[in-house]
Amino acid sequence: MRSDFGRTTKGEAASLYTLKNRGGMEIAVSDYGAVLVKVLIPDRDGNQQDVVLGYDDVAGYESGTLYFGAAVGRIANRIGGGTFELNGRTYALTQNDGQNTLHGGTDYFDKRMWKVEEADDSHVALKLYSPDGDQGFPGAVDIRVTYTLTEENEVKIHYYAVPEEDTILNLTNHSYFNLSGHASGSILDQEVMICADAYTRADAESIPTGEIVPVEGTPMDFRSRKVVGREIEADYEALIFGQGYDHNWVLNGSGNRYAASMYSDKTGIEMKVYTDLPGMQFYTGNFIVQEKGKKGADYRRRQAACFETQYFPDAVHKEHFEGPVVRAGQAYDTVTTYQFSSQTSSV
Ligand code: GLA
């Protein structure tokens, strides 16, 4: 179902597409930024909870700077120094995070109108044409992001793109989840598990040093489910640099697999993350200072967590990190699934 989502400052009419399944789950996606605006799921008492942070209309997404629900590209996360080399040429990008590039550079994909190619009750496919030189990256590319809501309560996000020239691509979704409800406050009492034996150490600017550090014996160990707040204040380099969790975990295994989960004991809502990508940035909203959100919500620090599946940050400068290079005519084709349930015993 399509509804109006307001007009951008340029006068473009934005829409909201609502998808529903028989189990009472509902999600909403806008063609502005291909953002995931709502994820509604009945909790264990049957009350509908919206578990993602966001805004009421397009104006909020236009002025917001925190990437709520955003489709991020061409390269999610950071590129050290804001430049990279490909096929012997050096490309200069926007330095929008100190000297580094964050989420493609300021001409963000989530600040553009996407074209809706298909939409029905269970899926919406959005397309963005990114020309040669867009954000400084080579090679024109049509990017398609498809959101599907399944009867198994999965929100499936499929990214598909075939560049005309060799380029680099690393798309992600930047939803901020709070499984007690988007306006319920801190997530420090919610439980998280991450299927990763290691994480990529990063410097004070969040650029990986290249070291793969085992999580064993550190506060980064989420291999067994634990409450987010248990060690978040520990005197540990990564947590000091990130002011909380804000790192890339090296997901175990390969292919489409279970990567992480989050659980709220207040609502009984659990989310499981599946992806075919090698890494995932787990970010605990450390830099949400104060943000007005949906229905008058007042979002603050650590009131949500992001599970940004991706190739490792700065992979383009690290030979041993699986690369985001996509050759001309080849498909960049990846799926991340967020699956929800609200049974108390669903582990
Ligand atoms: C971006 C990243 C997050 C986090 C914040 C910090 O949003 O995607 O993981 O690093 O920046 O501001």
Side-chain angles (χ1 to χ4, degrees), residues 67 78 102-103 174 246 281 283 287 308:
Y67 318 100
R78 293 165 179 84
L102 176 62
H103 296 332
H174 207 302
D246 189 6
Q281 185 93 357
Y283 168 53
F287 301 106
E308 307 160 52

Side-chain angles (χ1 to χ4, degrees), residues 3-19:
S3 56
D4 290 340
F5 202 48
R7 281 188 184 273
T8 66
T9 49
K10 287 188 210 150
E12 300 147 317
S15 298
L16 194 65
Y17 291 83
T18 302
L19 318 181

Side-chain angles (χ1 to χ4, degrees), residues 12-46:
E12 300 147 317
S15 298
L16 194 65
Y17 291 83
T18 302
L19 318 181
K20 289 183 180 175
N21 73 8
R22 286 192 287 273
M25 233 192 114
E26 185 177 316
I27 69 168
V29 173
S30 178
D31 53 359
Y32 180 78
V35 292
L36 181 60
V37 173
K38 290 180 203 166
V39 175
L40 299 171
I41 164 120
D43 65 18
R44 67 155 86 85
D45 300 320

